[in-house]
Amino acid sequence: MKNSNLKGALGAVAIVGLAIAVKKISQKRKFLKAIFEEYDIQEKTPFGFADKIREMDDEKYAELKSKMKEKFASKCCKSACRTQKSEP
């Protein structure tokens, strides 16, 4: 009986983990969709995205870069780790 309870508990934890992963993926997709709409990017491939970046002026590129960096930056808990990455 103990073994089946353990399997049930591990199954519940796996389902919760999967739900959290799906939620994060959904949030990232919504963010990217908003970026594509904001900058009028029609082609959803990396090549289409790169072509649109080449056409941008420096100001728009810097804005896009900061948005992407903010959203997809590492969530490292140590501030010393973040400063080392930005200093080189």
Side-chain angles (χ1 to χ4, degrees), residues 9-80:
L10 289 176
V13 169
I15 290 173
V16 169
L18 184 62
I20 290 171
V22 167
K23 182 180 175 184
K24 286 187 176 229
I25 290 170
S26 171
Q27 289 173 345
K28 286 187 178 187
R29 290 186 81 182
K30 285 180 185 177
F31 173 76
L32 284 175
K33 186 175 182 180
I35 290 290
F36 285 152
E37 289 177 2
E38 182 179 345
Y39 291 99
D40 194 35
I41 301 171
Q42 301 298 323
E43 194 174 341
K44 306 294 190 238
T45 65
F47 297 111
F49 189 61
D51 288 342
K52 191 65 175 185
I53 287 175
R54 284 187 203 106
E55 295 172 2
M56 288 182 184
D57 60 349
D58 291 337
E59 185 179 311
K60 280 189 175 183
Y61 174 70
E63 181 182 328
L64 174 65
K65 186 177 175 183
S66 67
K67 285 181 183 179
M68 295 295 249
K69 215 179 233 188
E70 180 182 311
K71 181 66 178 179
F72 297 112
S74 175
K75 305 292 188 226
C76 184
C77 59
K78 298 177 184 175
S79 62

